[in-house]
Amino acid sequence: MVIPVHDINPVRGTPYVTYALIAANVVVFLFTPGLAGSVAGQSDLSQLCHLQAFLDHYAVVPRELIHDQLPLLVPTGAVGVGAHGAGCVVAPPSYHKSPPLSVFTAMFLHGSWLHLLGNMLFLLIFGNNIEDRLGHVRFALFYVACGYAAAYGFAYLNDASGAPLIGASGAIAGVLGAYLVLYPRARVWVLVPFLVFLPLRLPAWIVLGFWFVLQAVYSSGSGLSRAGTVAYAAHVVGFLVGMLLAWPLRPGTPPPPEPRGLLFGRRARPGW
């Protein structure tokens, strides 16, 4: 997998919504109960119980979203000791959960610092140009629409699942799909792991097309033994929706600058 680090595609104004989304995701992550220990590489049962209770309240659960089947018992965040040892205490929920609203709240939740940083990196690199093309308000609506489409698409394909779905990747996948449609020839600096990280400058259609193919392969259960731990199907749905929403804007989109050739290493750096 290549790691994007920069694109050669200047914007006309400040991408306030992109920056605000990144800030909101970081703040929510830092204040998510139970994650402080995991960021430091430590976790205990109390932290895990708090995190589980928080996610059951604010994360998307496919079974709840599609069938409106809310659980009778949920974790309270407390730790108790039962016949089988210590565990998380469950009780009837003290709140009313709205499954459609949980799609929105889940877009700002992440399970680890690596999950957060990976999503924010893609949003920072590709989101500014889509916001520049759509405008601040339309970009915010576009982002949320892609996130909802990705969550509902995944939930329909996994309607019996009771596992929480979190992360901004469905909405960000929509941003990537729009970028592929509007700026396929924009050059993107990437790091390719080949013994060492090799810097390359590639067209966006190669970088994002390769990313989408991987998501599609993994969503089918192929390629990785742990493919089921990531909502790859949500990525695929979000990407396709982003492409469809951006397609009408292609004719009026000015092309980005096109440096010639595929440069790499030290020879390419002055072109940044």
Side-chain angles (χ1 to χ4, degrees):
M1 186 64 183
V2 298
I3 303 173
V5 293
H6 173 66
D7 68 333
I8 306 174
N9 195 359
V11 296
R12 296 167 297 177
T14 304
Y16 294 110
V17 175
T18 298
Y19 292 159
L21 288 171
I22 293 173
N25 277 278
V26 172
V27 169
V28 170
F29 178 78
L30 293 177
F31 284 92
T32 298
L35 279 182
S38 65
V39 173
Q42 303 173 349
S43 60
D44 55 28
L45 182 58
S46 176
Q47 291 174 329
L48 293 176
C49 290
H50 278 91
L51 178 59
Q52 186 176 357
F54 184 80
L55 293 181
D56 278 8
H57 189 177
Y58 294 106
V60 178
V61 177
R63 184 171 55 209
E64 298 174 359
L65 188 61
I66 303 304
H67 303 295
D68 199 28
Q69 295 179 355
L70 299 177
L72 299 178
L73 299 174
V74 296
T76 64
V79 176
V81 179
H84 301 286
C88 299
V89 175
V90 295
S94 59
Y95 53 83
H96 173 71
K97 180 178 181 179
S98 169
L101 182 59
S102 70
V103 176
F104 181 79
T105 56
M107 292 185 206
F108 297 90
L109 305 179
H110 293 84
S112 68
W113 65 267
L114 187 60
H115 186 200
L116 172 72
L117 293 180
N119 277 344
M120 296 305 100
L121 175 63
F122 276 80
L123 179 57
L124 178 63
I125 294 173
F126 300 106
N128 59 348
N129 291 105
I130 305 305
E131 180 177 353
D132 190 61
R133 180 67 182 89
L134 296 178
H136 304 309
V137 175
R138 287 203 299 173
F139 175 71
L141 296 175
F142 168 87
Y143 182 90
V144 172
C146 290
Y148 265 83
Y152 270 93
F154 179 84
Y156 274 114
L157 294 173
N158 302 270
D159 63 321
S161 173
L165 175 66
I166 60 174
S169 53
I172 295 172
V175 172
L176 303 186
Y179 197 100
L180 179 61
V181 167
L182 299 178
Y183 306 105
R185 296 183 180 180
R187 300 292 173 163
V188 180
W189 281 99
V190 299
L191 297 178
V192 180
F194 184 74
L195 300 180
V196 295
F197 283 102
L198 181 66
L200 291 176
R201 189 174 67 192
L202 302 174
W205 68 266
I206 292 180
V207 177
L208 299 180
F210 179 65
W211 182 89
F212 177 74
V213 169
L214 284 180
Q215 309 310 302
V217 171
Y218 295 158
S219 69
S220 68
S222 305
L224 286 179
S225 60
R226 297 180 58 198
T229 62
V230 179
Y232 292 106
H235 302 172
V236 172
V237 174
F239 192 92
L240 293 176
V241 170
M243 291 183 67
L244 290 174
L245 292 177
W247 198 269
L249 300 176
R250 287 191 68 193
T253 302
E258 289 191 56
R260 296 182 178 180
L262 301 179
L263 302 182
F264 61 91
R266 293 182 180 179
R267 292 192 304 116
R269 291 174 189 171
W272 281 42

